C-alpha cells in the first residue's frame, strides 16, 4: 500500500527513481543547450551504436556472468542513448529550444552574415550562458514528461502497447511549444504558392522583412530544412537506399536501432561542414521496421524490399512535414521526428488491428 502511495500517477514509477530521472533530465536538457542540438543528437548515435553493438555481441556469446542477458545493452541504449542523458526528447529538444530562445534574445550571437534565422541554428553550442542552459533544462524536462506520461497512459492506464513512438512525438511537440513561447509564428506565412512551394528559395528571393528588420536581414523568403535534400526525386532515392540498408542491418544483426545509430553518427560530418551529407535516421529506422514486420510472413528478400519502401515513404513524409512546419517560421521543428511519429503510428495501428504481424519496436 505504501509503495502504491509513492507511485507517480500515470507514469507508474516510484517517487525516488522519478526524482532521479527528473533531475537528470534537467541536466540533460541543459547539456543539449551547452553543446548544441545537433551535436547532442550525434552523441545519441554514438551511445546507441555502443549499446546495440554490445547487444549483438551478447546475443552471440550468451549471458555474461553476473549480468542478465540483454540488460547491459538495454541499459546503454535505453537508459542513456534514449534516456535522460542523450535522449533526443531531452538533450536535442533542449538544444532546439535554446536556439529558439537565443534567436530572439541574443541575435547578435549569430555567427552568420545573413542566411536562415538564427533560431534554426541547431549546430550552435551555447556554452555556459546560464539563462540559455536554463531554457534547455526546462524543455528537457518537458520532453521527458511528455514521453513518460504518454507511454504511461497507454501502458499503465489503458494497458495496451503505445500506438506510436512518443520520443519522436515529444521532440516535435516541445519544438512547436517553443515557437509561441519565444514569439515565433507556429507555422508561418508561405512566400510562394502555398506551404509546399519551395520555389521562392530556388529563385533566391529574400524574406519580405529582409530590408526593414534586422532580425530578418539576409534571410531567404523560404527556408527548406536541407537545401541539398528537398527535391522529391532525391528524397525518394535516398529513402530507398537508406531503407534497404536499415532493413539489411536488422536481418543480419537483429538490431532495429543500429542503422539509426549509424545515420545519427554520420551527421558528425554535416555538423563539421561537409556539404550534402544526407539526413537518414528516420529512413534507416523505418527500413528496419519494414523488415521486422514483413520478414515473418514473406521472407528476407521481400522484407528487404519492404524496408526500402518504408524508408522511401518515411523520407517523403519527412519532406512533407518540413515544407508544412519548418520552412516558413524561424525555429527548428524536426522533420525526422515527425516522420518517425507518423510512420510508426501507421505501423502501430496496423499491428493493433492484426493487419501486420507485429508493430516493429513498439
Amino acid at each position: 500500500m505504501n509503495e502504491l502511495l509513492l507511485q507517480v500517477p500515470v507514469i507508474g514509477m516510484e517517487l525516488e527513481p522519478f526524482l532521479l530521472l527528473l533531475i537528470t533530465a534537467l541536466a540533460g536538457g541543459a547539456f543539449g543547450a551547452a553543446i548544441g542540438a545537433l551535436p547532442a543528437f550525434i552523441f545519441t548515435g554514438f551511445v546507441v551504436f555502443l549499446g546495440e553493438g554490445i547487444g549483438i555481441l551478447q546475443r552471440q556469446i550468451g549471458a555474461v556472468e553476473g549480468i542478465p542477458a540483454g540488460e547491459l545493452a538495454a541499459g546503454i541504449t535505453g537508459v542513456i542513448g534514449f534516456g535522460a542523458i542523450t535522449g533526443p526528447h531531452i538533450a536535442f529538444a533542449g538544444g532546439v529550444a535554446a536556439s529558439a530562445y537565443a534567436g530572439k534574445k541574443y541575435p547578435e550571437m549569430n555567427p552568420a552574415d545573413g542566411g536562415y534565422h538564427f533560431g534554426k541554428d541547431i549546430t550552435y553550442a551555447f556554452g555556459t550562458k546560464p539563462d540559455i542552459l536554463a531554457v534547455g533544462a526546462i524543455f528537457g524536462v518537458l520532453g521527458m514528461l511528455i514521453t513518460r506520461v504518454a507511454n504511461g497512459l497507454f501502458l499503465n492506464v489503458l494497458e495496451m502497447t503505445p500506438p506510436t513512438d512518443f520520443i519522436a512525438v515529444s521532440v516535435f511537440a516541445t519544438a512547436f511549444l517553443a515557437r509561441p513561447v519565444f514569439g515565433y509564428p507556429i507555422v508561418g506565412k508561405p512566400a510562394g504558392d502555398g506551404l509546399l512551394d519551395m520555389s521562392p528559395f530556388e529563385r533566391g528571393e529574400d524574406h519580405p522583412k529582409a530590408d526593414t528588420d534586422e532580425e530578418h536581414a539576409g534571410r531567404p523568403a523560404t527556408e527548406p530544412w536541407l537545401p541539398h535534400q528537398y527535391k522529391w526525386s532525391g528524397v525518394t532515392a535516398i529513402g530507398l537506399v537508406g531503407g534497404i540498408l536499415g532493413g539489411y542491418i536488422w536481418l543480419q544483426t537483429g538490431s532495429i536501432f543500429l542503422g539509426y545509430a549509424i545515420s545519427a553518427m554520420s551527421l558528425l560530418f554535416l555538423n563539421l561542414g561537409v556539404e550534402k551529407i544526407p539526413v537518414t535516421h528516420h529512413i534507416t529506422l523505418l527500413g528496419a521496421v519494414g523488415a521486422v514486420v514483413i520478414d515473418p510472413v514473406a521472407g528476407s528478400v521481400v522484407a528487404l524490399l519492404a524496408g526500402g519502401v518504408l524508408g522511401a515513404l518515411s523520407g517523403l513524409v519527412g519532406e512533407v512535414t518540413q515544407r508544412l512546419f519548418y520552412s516558413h517560421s524561424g525555429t527548428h521543428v524536426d522533420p525526422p521526428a515527425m516522420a518517425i511519429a507518423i510512420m510508426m503510428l501507421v505501423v502501430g495501428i496496423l499491428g493493433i488491428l492484426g493487419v501486420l504481424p507485429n508493430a516493429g519496436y513498439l
Side-chain angles (χ1 to χ4, degrees):
M1 185 64 173
N2 289 335
E3 289 184 3
L4 289 175
L5 291 174
L6 291 174
Q7 292 272 324
V8 180
V10 180
I11 293 176
M13 293 179 68
E14 291 185 7
L15 184 59
E16 184 174 353
F18 175 74
L19 290 175
L20 288 173
L21 180 62
L22 183 72
I23 294 167
T24 309
L26 283 166
F31 173 71
I35 69 170
L38 184 56
F41 181 66
I42 293 166
F43 273 109
T44 305
F46 278 99
V47 175
V48 172
F49 183 81
L50 175 63
E52 293 304 287
I54 291 174
I56 293 166
L57 180 63
Q58 281 190 306
R59 288 194 289 274
Q60 293 295 320
I61 65 175
V64 179
E65 185 177 352
I67 302 175
E71 187 172 292
L72 177 60
I76 295 172
T77 296
V79 176
I80 301 175
F82 291 128
I85 298 176
T86 63
H89 57 309
I90 294 172
F92 180 79
V96 167
S99 293
Y101 171 74
K104 289 288 187 180
K105 181 75 172 179
Y106 301 109
E108 70 277 4
M109 295 177 71
N110 188 358
D113 183 16
Y116 285 18
H117 195 285
F118 185 40
K120 286 180 171 173
D121 190 349
I122 60 171
T123 66
Y124 196 97
F126 291 100
T128 59
K129 200 163 182 60
D131 58 331
I132 298 180
L133 298 189
V135 168
I138 291 168
F139 276 82
V141 167
L142 285 173
M144 180 276 288
L145 290 174
I146 290 170
T147 303
R148 287 282 174 167
V149 170
N151 281 327
L153 178 64
F154 283 94
L155 291 171
N156 302 321
V157 178
L158 300 177
E159 296 184 346
M160 61 181 291
T161 300
T164 190
D165 183 332
F166 282 114
I167 287 180
V169 171
S170 177
V171 168
F172 70 79
T174 53
F176 272 122
L177 178 62
R179 284 183 170 176
V181 167
F182 299 126
Y184 297 88
I186 294 176
V187 175
K189 183 179 179 181
D193 297 327
L195 293 170
L196 297 177
D197 183 12
M198 298 289 104
S199 64
F201 173 80
E202 295 169 348
R203 293 192 295 267
E205 295 179 9
D206 291 334
H207 193 279
K209 297 181 180 179
D211 296 328
T212 59
D213 185 346
E214 186 177 349
E215 179 184 344
H216 302 286
R219 184 180 172 191
T222 302
E223 299 168 333
W225 165 52
L226 296 168
H228 60 280
Q229 186 180 326
Y230 75 91
K231 295 186 177 180
W232 300 112
S233 59
V235 171
T236 303
I238 196 63
L240 286 168
V241 170
I244 288 170
L245 295 177
Y248 183 79
I249 289 170
W250 176 78
L251 287 167
Q252 296 300 318
T253 68
S255 171
I256 293 178
F257 296 109
L258 185 60
Y260 173 99
I262 293 171
S263 291
M265 290 190 299
S266 75
L267 298 181
L268 174 62
F269 298 101
L270 184 65
N271 198 81
L272 293 174
V274 179
E275 294 184 2
K276 299 183 180 179
I277 294 291
V279 178
T280 58
H281 55 283
H282 57 309
I283 291 169
T284 49
L285 179 60
L286 267 295
V289 170
V292 168
V293 300
I294 296 301
D295 183 59
V297 295
S300 59
V301 173
V302 178
L304 193 64
L305 296 174
V309 171
L310 258 70
L313 288 174
S314 187
L316 291 169
V317 170
E319 179 56 31
V320 170
T321 60
Q322 82 85 9
R323 293 181 181 225
L324 293 175
F325 304 120
Y326 177 95
S327 293
H328 314 291
S329 190
T331 70
H332 182 89
V333 172
D334 199 54
M338 290 186 277
I340 291 169
I342 292 168
M343 292 295 295
M344 289 311 298
L345 179 62
V346 174
V347 171
I349 291 173
L350 292 177
I352 290 169
L353 295 176
V355 176
L356 296 175
N358 60 69
Y361 61 88
L362 297 180

